[in-house]
Amino acid sequence: MPDLTSRVVSSLESVDAAQWNSLDHGPSPFTEYGFLRALERSGSVGVRAGWEPFYVLVEASAPARVPRPGEAGHTSEIAPTRLVGAVAAYVKAHSYGEYIFDWAWARAAERAGLPYYPKLVVAVPMTPATGPRLLVAKDMSRGPVVERLIAEVKALADRRRCGSVHWLFTTEAEQAELQAHGFMARASFQYHWHNAGYASFDEFLARMTSRRRKQLRKERARVQASAPALEWVPGTELTADDVAAIDRFYRTTTQNHHGHDYLQPGFFAAVVAEMPERVQWARVRREGKTIAGALYFETEAALYGRYWGCDEEIEFLHFEAAYYAAIERCITREIPLFEAGAQGEHKLIRGFEPVPTYSSHWIRHPGFAAAIERFLGEEAQAVQRNMAELATLLPFRAEDDGASS
């Protein structure tokens, strides 16, 4: 086992992009260098944004070369190092942009006279998508690197006097690792679409009840009759006008739904520049003018729908651009997973299933931590009941149902 050293930096600018991306990011593109760096470059994270970044780095030193007896001409060299583990963490004075909500905890702490902020959050800012948070080189023994990363995160929380540490949208395996290091597990869920090896969109529809199958076909037919065809544009082909439209749609949609435009102007241009190979835009144009679109990030293992918007309201176009076209793309390209963002029970009847999501938490104050732990146990039972109830609303036929029509 090579010697491990660790350090913390406040910007990815000083980190080698290729080494960072060589770590195991699973199916997710959001912990890759390009996405996190675009957040930095645009000011979407930083002290002013309330997401002060800290990157915990674990590096391995290659064994020093020792000359054999009688060997001449050897000059000693500093052993080279490489990045073998990393965590992207953020010190925060608020709970916006996280999607694993702890506002009630903050209010309870305030009532008890306990400081809740600052807190340390290990997550991808403004991005409620599951993925690895403990990034480890694929050829390394995971245990020692993970132990070092977690210890350094705790030390960072101590130095910054954080009252709590929150790991959000981790993998299930990471949640188990964090539990072994004293973090409390929290249960939540989202709606994801899984590719069962469908040969076509029609084969996917064939699994549905007749009522739901007809509904989805009707919605797609209405869109195709009233809107221009949707086209997929890769990030490598996006123009400045395209990027401006994506930004405009993001801000308009956020405003219309009384949300927060966390992503600052310049983010979309930065992310397209940093990682064009991950970006796909489902664009709808009429007479040379873009009227609607949905932005996606894609890997071989998953497709992630992020931001939808339009200048012209067309019935069912949102479902086509944000769901149906993406499902069809996953089928065509044999992509196994489609995550279409947080929330939305309306996804159920369109074939998205409730699936668990995972977070882990540490609270500094022992009494408050005990109260949170009791709450998490009760919440986990409620989440399990809710998911079971939602599963009964899925549109799929029973196995012994009749032939599709």
Side-chain angles (χ1 to χ4, degrees):
M1 182 70 187
D3 293 334
L4 299 179
T5 59
S6 57
R7 58 191 177 101
V8 178
V9 299
S10 58
S11 172
L12 280 181
E13 187 175 12
S14 62
V15 179
D16 182 77
Q19 288 200 38
W20 180 280
N21 285 341
S22 72
L23 303 177
D24 188 357
H25 296 263
S28 172
F30 299 117
T31 51
E32 290 182 355
Y33 186 94
F35 193 86
L36 298 179
R37 184 70 181 124
L39 290 170
E40 285 186 9
R41 286 178 52 190
S42 63
S44 299
V45 300
V47 175
R48 292 184 61 184
W51 290 83
E52 185 179 0
F54 293 92
Y55 304 97
V56 178
L57 310 176
V58 172
E59 295 163 320
S61 299
R65 182 173 180 266
V66 179
R68 293 189 297 272
E71 182 179 7
H74 174 74
T75 57
S76 61
E77 297 179 354
I78 298 175
T81 62
R82 70 180 178 103
L83 186 66
V84 297
V87 165
Y90 301 84
V91 172
K92 299 194 64 193
H94 59 71
S95 294
Y96 291 104
E98 297 175 14
Y99 303 94
I100 298 290
F101 301 111
D102 66 346
W103 292 107
W105 300 3
R107 289 193 295 270
E110 183 180 13
R111 289 195 298 269
L114 301 174
Y116 192 73
Y117 303 105
K119 66 178 185 177
L120 188 63
V121 175
V122 180
V124 179
M126 292 75 74
T127 308
T130 293
R133 301 293 177 252
L134 290 154
L135 308 178
V136 178
K138 297 175 183 178
D139 63 344
M140 289 291 293
S141 175
R142 183 173 174 84
V145 179
V146 165
E147 187 171 346
R148 189 65 172 264
L149 287 170
I150 293 174
E152 290 299 325
V153 167
K154 289 181 176 180
L156 174 61
D158 289 340
R159 290 195 300 272
R160 295 305 301 259
R161 298 182 180 180
C162 295
S164 56
V165 181
H166 309 266
W167 303 70
L168 309 182
F169 295 102
T170 69
T171 66
E172 183 180 10
E174 284 178 323
Q175 189 180 67
E177 289 175 321
L178 290 164
Q179 274 191 287
H181 285 82
F183 288 83
M184 298 178 288
R186 188 175 189 185
S188 53
F189 70 94
Q190 286 182 338
Y191 303 94
H192 296 172
W193 182 87
H194 292 92
N195 191 348
Y198 302 112
S200 65
F201 193 85
D202 281 340
E203 185 175 312
F204 163 61
L205 291 181
R207 282 194 60 206
M208 294 186 173
T209 63
S210 176
R211 176 187 176 190
R212 293 306 182 196
R213 186 166 56 249
K214 290 176 180 178
Q215 177 183 348
L216 268 63
R217 283 176 174 163
K218 178 181 178 181
E219 290 178 357
R220 296 203 82 183
R222 293 279 288 274
V223 170
Q224 291 164 6
S226 58
L230 179 149
E231 57 183 341
W232 288 93
V233 185
T236 53
E237 298 178 12
L238 290 175
T239 67
D241 287 343
D242 290 327
V243 174
I246 293 170
D247 186 87
R248 183 178 74 254
F249 290 154
Y250 166 72
R251 301 192 192 287
T252 300
T253 300
T254 301
Q255 182 178 8
N256 290 344
H257 290 83
H258 309 289
H260 298 274
D261 53 347
Y262 299 117
L263 300 174
Q264 295 301 300
F267 168 76
F268 295 105
V271 81
V272 169
E274 290 279 356
M275 53 190 312
E277 75 284 357
R278 297 301 193 200
V279 174
Q280 293 287 336
W281 194 27
R283 184 178 67 185
V284 181
R285 306 181 79 186
R286 173 177 283 134
E287 298 177 353
K289 180 183 177 182
T290 300
I291 63 170
L295 187 65
Y296 291 84
F297 293 85
E298 182 178 272
T299 68
E300 292 182 358
L303 181 66
Y304 299 86
R306 306 309 313 145
Y307 312 109
W308 144 267
C310 64
D311 287 333
E312 181 180 336
E313 294 287 346
I314 297 176
E315 189 178 24
F316 302 128
L317 180 56
H318 169 252
F319 294 148
E320 176 66 24
Y323 303 139
Y324 303 146
I327 290 173
E328 196 161 44
R329 182 176 179 86
C330 287
I331 292 170
T332 301
R333 299 176 67 86
E334 299 181 348
I335 298 173
L337 171 67
F338 171 33
E339 291 192 26
Q343 305 170 349
E345 289 188 15
H346 59 277
K347 295 173 185 171
L348 281 168
I349 63 172
R350 293 170 174 88
F352 291 79
E353 303 177 42
V355 298
T357 52
Y358 307 94
S359 63
S360 299
H361 308 266
W362 172 83
I363 308 295
R364 186 176 297 278
H365 189 279
F368 192 38
I372 294 294
E373 188 170 26
R374 289 192 295 270
F375 165 79
L376 291 177
E378 297 170 358
E379 184 186 49
Q381 295 180 22
V383 167
Q384 189 174 23
R385 290 193 298 269
N386 193 12
M387 288 179 61
E389 182 178 352
L390 289 169
T392 65
L393 304 178
L394 288 168
F396 303 120
R397 297 180 291 115
E399 288 297 324
D400 59 352
D401 201 353
S404 61
S405 60

